Amino acid sequence: MAHIGVLIALEENGIPIDYITGTSAGALIGSLYAVGYTPEQIKAMATSDDYYDVANGIIDKDYVYFFKESTPNASIVNFSFDKKFKLASSIPLNFTDPSLIDYFMIERFTLPSSTAHYNFDSLMIPFRCVASDIDANEEVVFKEGNLSEAVRASMTFPFYVPPLKVDGKILVDGGLYNNFPADVMYNDFMPDVIIGSSVSAPRDTPGDYDLISQVRSMIQTKSDFEISCDNSIILYPDIQEIGTFDFKLTREAIRQGYLETIKNMDSIKAMVSRRIDSEELKKKRSKFNKNINKEIVISTIEIEGLKKGEENYFINTLKNKNENTTLSEIKSKYFRLITDDKIKFMFPKVTKNPLDDFYTLTIKVKKEPEFDFRVGGSFTSKANNTGYLGLDYKNINKYVSLTAASNFYFGRFYNSIDIAPRIDFPLDLPFYIEPSITYNRWDYYRSLTTFFDDTKPSYLIKNEAFWGLSLGFPASNKSKVTFDFKSGLINNEYYQTDQFLSVDTADVTEFFFNNLKASFERNSLDNLYYSKDGSKLKISAGFTQGTETNRSGSTSIFTPDSLSRFNHNWFKASFEYEQYFRFIDNYNVGLMLQGVFSNQPFFNNYTSSILMAPQFSPIPETQTQFIPSFAANTYAGVGIKNVLTIYKSLDLRLEGYAFIPYANILDNNKKAEFTPTLGSTSQYYIASAIIVFNSPLGPASFTTNYMDYRENKWSFLFNFNFLIFNRKALNHF
């Protein structure tokens, strides 16, 4: 980025620039100047937050398509393979999502490319850039063609963004074979004076345990920093302490480029007798960019790299049939496609049609393999460790996108299977249909951290088996509306006392149910459990109808093995809100609110009633317990979360929660009843101190919890990853 400072200093002093060559970042800066951007405009662009996001592959929240996000799971390692069971490479070709970079290029270079008729000599300033052909082991000099494609190829730093295939050649960063293209300048343009700006550090000896430096050393040739032109000067901005990807230091790099140029300005002026004033430059830019504000209208979309018929899904997603659209209108839809888990890579190119004023958008697409196998689980210092396996089949055809997902959890505490094929329809109003079948089993065994909070907790096994159908629509890029129907069986086995013997028999409550629910959800949280940025809003309303069948056990107040049946129906509405605010650097505060309103009736006895009631579960530990104190038909939950980033991926979280029921559910001789005076109830509190390390494989946390409802109020917990449940029969959140 020091090149920007060089350009600023040259323009301030009236030094004319007649030709430009560049490699890598130099190709980007040089091309922007060559198509008419002023040095100050380029500086403003390079120092903006938007450019920082582009360079780091951080997609703007407005373009992250929540509607397409898959259901969270507990995977740690993923394996992809095709129908021939050929495993895809597990080594990523890039560490940065290039989608923003690629779209940045077409937005800025499409019109200048067409104005110059795809001849780089016809740009406002004739231009060359250099890429590297890693198959032929030679440089490639771009003199014509699509400017966005050429510049992207030139700055494709290995491991940072994926290589680009152009005219059958696999191209990467031109700096591998020619990091200082003064020879290209001399051979192509024969200028009287050459001013070179070198930002390359001396090639270091590769590190013993630094793979990237070793690979780079093997493939990178030593650049020639000599200039054949008799009148020449090389500027060396003092940026040795600024790394290639230190984008936060862009302003300093620009400053150093400016200072180095000013230091050598007398020598430059001595070689260059001609001057150009600002008005002359302004007229030159205006003449070339007379159509700079013209809208780029897309009449045709072409898809490369897919089987016949598959491309129609992409085209239908991006534009209405037989209707023209614009590049700006396509942008949000383009990023919707990128978020699809079936897409591995997309590269756009826009070219002008030869016979009219419209443009063709060509997208190179590489799909993910059809099958995705996942292995993972939740590992904790408690006794509820759980393994996880997942298998997905993904396919795109002419009309729909299909994801057939299956998730399996197994362990002492939780076992589950969920199979759900989701079909997406890319219409003017996109929507999906998702049938599902699910089985869940929770086994609350004797433990100090399960069920009724005493040293001899009651025994409970909770089973759910149900099928469902979900219909979903996007409300915006970050929100969706869903309609869900579920039907099935909830089976609870339990004792009604903590004093039971091995010969005792459990009560069994079965509930055959039908549930219909509508939900609106907007979600931009950056993490499933340990968020520190973004917000979430979810509003749901539903109706449940069903039949309860109860068989009494030996610890019941009723005659053992007696049967009773009841019909139940109720309405429930729920609300959840979570928002994070940044107060200062590295310190964020989150606010969480939950609310449930329900006219749900009591079941046959206290235990069955409390088991069927909604439960407030704000932290991971409470999600692996059944806590009667946190169960109520109508309640409010409040939480505050303080998040201090200690170092990069290491956070300290201090969290506090309050549970405020409208009416506590009480045990009156094993029958359920509400608090005598509604609204005058007991509140309960949780406080947590958590150290979280967000590793690439999943979060690792050390937690200290204080729970005032328990006899033993303190608990200490280690977690790696988290137990994520499959969909539940009567979900609240």
Side-chain angles (χ1 to χ4, degrees):
M1 295 298 153
H3 306 308
I4 301 173
V6 174
L7 292 172
I8 293 174
L10 293 176
E11 277 210 3
E12 284 182 355
N13 287 272
I15 305 298
I17 300 173
D18 299 314
Y19 310 102
I20 297 176
T21 62
T23 293
S24 196
L28 175 62
I29 304 304
S31 61
L32 288 169
Y33 191 81
V35 302
Y37 286 93
T38 70
E40 291 296 338
Q41 287 175 324
I42 302 172
K43 178 183 177 180
M45 196 183 301
T47 56
S48 68
D49 292 339
D50 288 344
Y51 182 79
Y52 179 82
D53 290 345
V54 167
N56 287 279
I58 304 171
I59 296 177
D60 191 297
K61 293 176 182 177
D62 292 338
Y63 295 119
V64 177
Y65 202 30
F66 176 62
F67 176 72
K68 277 286 192 177
E69 290 186 0
S70 56
T71 303
N73 57 67
S75 65
I76 297 175
V77 181
N78 291 13
F79 303 91
S80 298
F81 56 94
D82 58 22
K83 293 180 180 179
K84 298 180 180 179
F85 295 96
K86 181 181 178 181
L87 281 173
S89 173
S90 60
I91 301 176
L93 293 177
N94 54 283
F95 301 131
T96 298
D97 186 341
S99 308
L100 281 169
I101 298 173
D102 298 338
Y103 218 89
F104 176 92
M105 298 290 186
I106 62 173
E107 286 179 318
R108 284 152 183 83
F109 294 135
T110 293
L111 284 174
S113 286
S114 64
T115 299
H117 303 289
Y118 303 98
N119 183 344
F120 294 179
D121 285 341
S122 299
L123 296 171
M124 188 191 88
I125 298 175
F127 173 73
R128 299 286 187 270
C129 66
V130 180
S132 299
D133 184 342
I134 58 176
D135 183 36
N137 293 331
E138 62 184 17
E139 67 180 57
V140 175
V141 179
F142 283 96
K143 303 179 181 182
E144 59 184 9
N146 192 286
L147 185 59
S148 63
E149 190 175 52
V151 175
R152 166 66 160 80
S154 180
M155 57 183 296
T156 302
F157 195 90
F159 299 106
Y160 190 69
V161 293
L164 196 63
K165 195 170 187 177
V166 180
D167 297 331
K169 301 176 180 179
I170 301 175
L171 304 182
V172 297
D173 196 296
L176 292 181
Y177 301 134
N178 192 347
N179 205 29
F180 189 71
D183 58 331
V184 176
M185 171 70 75
Y186 186 77
N187 294 331
D188 279 28
F189 300 122
M190 296 292 293
D192 298 317
V193 179
I194 295 179
I195 302 172
S197 174
S198 175
V199 296
S200 299
R203 197 170 76 159
D204 296 328
T205 302
D208 292 351
Y209 301 98
D210 188 342
L211 177 61
I212 292 179
S213 72
Q214 293 172 13
V215 173
R216 182 169 58 188
S217 181
M218 286 188 289
I219 60 178
Q220 186 176 24
T221 60
K222 294 182 179 180
S223 296
D224 184 3
F225 290 94
E226 299 294 326
I227 299 180
S228 301
C229 182
D230 292 334
N231 294 317
S232 64
I233 186 171
I234 302 178
L235 306 174
Y236 296 96
D238 184 14
I239 58 168
Q240 302 307 313
E241 300 301 319
I242 302 177
T244 304
F245 307 115
D246 288 338
F247 300 110
K248 290 288 188 182
L249 300 178
T250 294
R251 292 184 182 276
E252 176 61 18
I254 295 172
R255 189 178 77 89
Q256 291 297 333
Y258 180 85
L259 293 176
E260 174 70 7
T261 310
I262 295 299
K263 185 175 72 174
N264 290 274
M265 188 54 65
D266 289 343
S267 299
I268 295 172
K269 288 181 176 181
M271 289 188 294
V272 182
S273 59
R274 184 165 59 92
R275 299 289 182 268
I276 186 169
D277 61 36
S278 58
E279 285 300 315
E280 185 179 352
L281 266 176
K282 187 177 180 180
K283 290 179 182 179
K284 188 176 181 181
R285 289 189 171 107
S286 296
K287 182 179 179 180
F288 181 79
N289 288 316
K290 58 184 178 181
N291 298 319
I292 192 67
N293 296 318
K294 184 179 179 181
E295 190 72 75
I296 299 171
V297 181
I298 306 295
S299 63
T300 307
I301 297 177
E302 298 177 348
I303 308 297
E304 298 179 355
L306 298 180
K307 296 178 182 177
K308 188 176 181 180
E310 294 177 339
E311 66 272 11
N312 288 341
Y313 178 83
F314 287 77
I315 296 171
N316 292 336
T317 301
L318 293 170
K319 67 187 289 286
N320 297 332
K321 191 175 182 180
N322 299 323
E323 291 185 12
N324 295 337
T325 187
T326 66
L327 191 62
S328 57
E329 291 172 341
I330 280 179
K331 189 171 186 176
S332 62
K333 299 176 181 179
Y334 180 85
F335 284 99
R336 289 180 183 181
L337 279 172
I338 289 175
T339 59
D340 197 306
D341 60 0
K342 304 168 192 63
I343 308 302
K344 186 179 185 68
F345 175 75
M346 291 171 52
F347 177 78
K349 182 172 69 173
V350 181
T351 53
K352 191 175 183 300
N353 300 337
L355 301 178
D356 54 42
D357 289 331
F358 300 134
Y359 290 79
T360 295
L361 170 63
T362 303
I363 305 176
K364 299 177 182 179
V365 178
K366 183 174 179 61
K367 293 197 306 179
E368 292 280 4
E370 291 94 338
F371 294 94
D372 186 30
F373 178 64
R374 302 179 298 276
V375 180
S378 167
F379 307 96
T380 175
S381 55
K382 302 295 184 181
N384 48 21
N385 295 308
T386 304
Y388 168 77
L389 297 174
L391 179 64
D392 291 355
Y393 171 73
K394 299 172 292 188
N395 188 36
I396 296 174
N397 62 34
K398 184 176 181 180
Y399 303 106
V400 300
S401 169
L402 169 67
T403 300
S406 56
N407 294 296
F408 308 86
Y409 292 89
F410 51 93
R412 182 180 176 184
F413 167 66
Y414 179 59
N415 290 273
S416 178
I417 178 172
D418 181 88
I419 300 174
R422 168 170 162 160
I423 306 170
D424 282 84
F425 296 83
L427 305 179
D428 292 345
L429 177 61
F431 70 93
Y432 71 79
I433 297 174
E434 185 179 45
S436 62
I437 183 169
T438 307
Y439 170 74
N440 293 316
R441 177 183 175 89
W442 291 268
D443 188 347
Y444 295 88
Y445 42 83
R446 284 183 174 270
S447 166
L448 292 176
T449 58
T450 58
F451 204 46
F452 292 104
D453 180 47
D454 51 34
T455 57
K456 293 182 178 179
S458 295
Y459 168 83
L460 165 65
I461 293 178
K462 186 178 183 70
N463 293 281
E464 297 179 345
F466 58 94
W467 67 272
L469 183 66
S470 181
L471 178 66
F473 302 88
S476 69
N477 269 21
K478 295 305 297 178
S479 61
K480 65 179 180 180
V481 174
T482 56
F483 300 92
D484 298 282
F485 175 78
K486 295 175 183 176
S487 181
L489 170 67
I490 299 173
N491 178 288
N492 294 327
E493 301 178 27
Y494 53 89
Y495 294 98
Q496 296 195 48
T497 178
D498 59 357
Q499 303 294 329
F500 58 87
L501 304 173
S502 59
V503 296
D504 284 322
T505 58
D507 280 54
V508 178
T509 296
E510 293 183 338
F511 184 55
F512 293 88
F513 73 94
N514 295 296
N515 173 261
L516 185 64
K517 183 177 71 172
S519 303
F520 169 83
E521 183 175 2
R522 177 177 175 83
N523 196 328
S524 61
L525 296 178
D526 61 341
N527 193 286
L528 181 62
Y529 277 108
Y530 291 137
S531 299
K532 57 184 177 183
D533 187 43
S535 64
K536 176 182 179 181
L537 172 65
K538 186 173 183 180
I539 303 171
S540 301
F543 179 79
T544 302
Q545 174 273 328
T547 300
E548 173 196 1
T549 301
N550 185 274
R551 186 183 74 241
S552 301
S554 60
T555 62
S556 173
I557 59 173
F558 304 104
T559 304
D561 295 323
S562 62
L563 291 176
S564 56
R565 285 187 175 86
F566 306 92
N567 293 323
H568 301 298
N569 58 81
W570 67 86
F571 169 84
K572 185 183 74 178
S574 60
F575 168 88
E576 183 180 19
Y577 173 73
E578 189 171 353
Q579 175 83 53
Y580 289 85
F581 308 89
R582 174 162 291 186
F583 279 67
I584 58 174
D585 286 346
N586 301 326
Y587 176 59
N588 295 39
V589 175
L591 175 66
M592 187 270 280
L593 300 172
Q594 279 187 12
V596 174
F597 169 80
S598 175
N599 63 347
Q600 179 175 326
F602 291 134
F603 278 59
N604 176 262
N605 55 67
Y606 168 75
T607 305
S608 60
S609 298
I610 205 79
L611 287 172
M612 295 298 297
Q615 178 178 308
F616 181 58
S617 301
I619 62 175
E621 186 174 358
T622 59
Q623 295 183 11
T624 60
Q625 305 173 25
F626 186 82
I627 307 170
S629 299
F630 276 11
N633 292 345
T634 299
Y635 70 82
V638 182
I640 187 164
K641 310 180 185 185
N642 299 276
V643 187
L644 177 66
T645 300
I646 301 172
Y647 180 75
K648 293 184 178 179
S649 299
L650 186 65
D651 297 333
L652 170 64
R653 303 178 68 93
L654 300 175
E655 303 178 358
Y657 303 91
F659 172 71
I660 310 166
Y662 178 67
N664 294 117
I665 302 175
L666 305 179
D667 184 358
N668 182 9
N669 194 26
K670 297 186 173 59
K671 297 291 290 184
E673 66 177 27
F674 286 123
T675 306
T677 304
L678 299 181
S680 179
T681 58
S682 299
Q683 292 93 44
Y684 299 97
Y685 305 92
I686 294 176
S688 293
I690 314 163
I691 295 288
V692 183
F693 174 65
N694 293 293
S695 77
L697 298 178
S701 63
F702 296 88
T703 304
T704 300
N705 291 323
Y706 175 86
M707 306 183 188
D708 76 334
Y709 63 88
R710 301 194 310 193
E711 181 179 343
N712 184 11
K713 301 184 183 305
W714 292 94
S715 67
F716 304 91
L717 187 66
F718 167 77
N719 276 311
F720 178 75
N721 218 1
F722 287 108
L723 176 56
I724 300 174
F725 301 115
N726 282 326
R727 71 191 80 212
K728 300 177 183 178
L730 300 178
N731 253 3
H732 308 305
F733 300 104

